[in-house]
Amino acid sequence: TLVGTGAIKARGVQNFGTMVIDGNITITNVDTNGGSAIWNEGDLVINNGTFTTDSNAGTGSYGSALNTQPGGSAVINGGNFESYSQLTYAICNYGVTIINDATVTGRHGAVASTQGCETVINAGSFSLLENPGVSDHCVYYVSSIKGGSFTLGNNTDAGAQVFYESTIAEGYKSVMIDNTYVVLP
């Protein structure tokens, strides 16, 4: 369990068991050739904190704020997730990720999942940052969206989409309000 206030700057924190993050903690992935602020192969609950990649990540950079691997699960109840890597989403899911609330911004996109994985967005703010010349999306293969606001940044690639191959849950709809897509019941 990580609680309180603090900062970690490293290739990231790895979870292979059970981890709870509940505090004003900042974890920064400083490796712009991979890694993740949190590499999760276990059961993870995040209630607060800031998880980011190096803001100086340049062309061809990789690295995420949170990466949940097959067999892992993450429940996000709050926090800020930021990825400045050109070629990696802020939150990557290859297991199960439930986002109940979060602020997620990424240069390549906010949230990406692999087909067949469970990724659920219930609430939060999700943004694609400016990344001209790279095919990117705000959310990618999210299995169920039940709420939240979704924004494409200025000067994003012409092919960028907000909900690429993602499913808005039955009984919900997406509406455009001031250049932001909002999912509502």
Side-chain angles (χ1 to χ4, degrees):
T1 301
L2 297 175
V3 295
T5 301
I8 299 170
K9 286 187 173 186
R11 189 162 198 263
V13 172
Q14 295 180 328
N15 175 42
F16 297 102
T18 300
M19 179 183 278
V20 176
I21 298 174
D22 191 6
N24 188 20
I25 296 176
T26 300
I27 301 174
T28 303
N29 170 19
V30 296
D31 185 350
T32 60
N33 193 28
S36 182
I38 301 176
W39 186 268
N40 179 39
E41 294 189 32
D43 297 316
L44 173 66
V45 175
I46 297 174
N47 296 317
N48 195 11
T50 299
F51 314 94
T52 186
T53 61
D54 190 322
S55 61
N56 296 317
T59 302
S61 58
Y62 290 89
S64 61
L66 169 63
N67 193 314
T68 297
Q69 292 295 295
S73 69
V75 176
I76 301 169
N77 298 313
N80 296 306
F81 299 80
E82 304 165 357
S83 176
Y84 297 99
S85 296
Q86 184 185 32
L87 302 172
T88 310
Y89 286 79
I91 295 176
C92 299
N93 179 47
Y94 302 95
V96 175
T97 297
I98 312 283
I99 302 171
N100 294 316
D101 190 22
T103 300
V104 186
T105 56
R107 193 166 160 211
H108 188 60
V111 179
S113 186
T114 299
Q115 284 180 299
C117 294
E118 182 181 2
T119 307
V120 177
I121 295 175
N122 291 314
S125 174
F126 305 86
S127 302
L128 170 64
L129 299 173
E130 181 177 344
N131 196 13
V134 176
S135 178
D136 38 35
H137 311 288
C138 188
V139 295
Y140 181 85
Y141 284 110
V142 171
S143 52
S144 181
I145 301 172
K146 299 177 181 175
S149 62
F150 304 82
T151 307
L152 293 179
N154 294 328
N155 299 316
T156 53
D157 185 71
Q161 296 180 30
V162 175
F163 303 110
Y164 185 82
E165 295 293 329
S166 296
T167 302
I168 295 177
E170 188 174 329
Y172 292 81
K173 63 184 174 191
S174 170
V175 296
M176 173 77 96
I177 301 172
D178 296 329
N179 294 326
T180 297
Y181 292 86
V182 179
V183 175
L184 304 166

